[in-house]
Amino acid sequence: MHELGIVFNIIDSVDKIAIEKNVDSVKKVILEVGEVSSVIPRYVEDCWKWAVENRSQRMKGCELKIIVLKALSYCQDCEETYPTLPSGRKCPKCGGNHTYLITGNETQIQSIEVADPPSDK
Ligand SMILES: [Zn+2]
């Protein structure tokens, strides 16, 4: 299960950002996952709950939100851009297979929410 490795990577990246920004606690991470990436959101969520409690003090209790990005492909024969699912490599317009994936294969951090800094009132 490679999701755990991915989750550790994300946590480490977020942790690094938190250190740079002098943040003590990260509340929420929004992650973009491409529709045809090899990452399965449900597994990521399962790993996440365990990993945030054990990997970093700053990430304890941090919530994860996954946004699935639509996959898009481009056909070089007829210059059509089409949703990769369900057509796959075959262009739905001209039936050609000189196509490539434009987007939908990535896993990236979209944004991070941090806890409010303690006020000294
Ligand atoms: Zn085409």
Side-chain angles (χ1 to χ4, degrees):
M1 180 148 134
H2 73 145
E3 274 78 7
L4 190 59
I6 291 164
V7 166
F8 279 164
N9 262 330
I10 296 163
I11 290 177
D12 291 349
S13 314
V14 173
D15 206 37
K16 218 176 127 197
I17 297 166
I19 292 167
E20 279 167 12
K21 307 258 179 207
N22 227 345
V23 167
D24 293 333
S25 170
V26 180
K27 245 169 51 180
K28 191 174 181 181
V29 171
I30 299 174
L31 186 71
E32 292 177 339
V33 176
E35 203 173 32
V36 297
S37 77
S38 60
V39 175
I40 300 163
R42 191 166 52 85
Y43 290 169
V44 171
E45 281 163 1
D46 285 351
C47 296
W48 181 265
K49 282 180 203 129
W50 177 84
V52 286
E53 296 308 316
N54 294 281
R55 186 81 168 172
S56 160
Q57 199 61 35
R58 279 175 207 85
M59 305 286 291
K60 273 193 196 294
C62 181
E63 205 188 311
L64 176 70
K65 184 174 163 57
I66 295 177
I67 295 170
V68 177
L69 296 180
K70 279 255 169 242
L72 290 175
S73 290
Y74 177 77
C75 174
Q76 288 168 293
D77 293 339
C78 71
E79 301 183 343
E80 175 86 347
T81 300
Y82 63 92
T84 310
L85 299 179
S87 298
R89 284 172 185 236
K90 192 170 169 178
C91 172
K93 197 174 165 194
C94 73
N97 56 10
H98 296 116
T99 61
Y100 61 87
L101 190 69
I102 304 170
T103 181
N105 196 21
E106 58 277 87
T107 304
Q108 61 193 25
I109 298 163
Q110 189 218 57
S111 62
I112 297 169
E113 283 176 29
V114 299
D116 295 331
S119 67
D120 17 51
K121 259 184 246 166

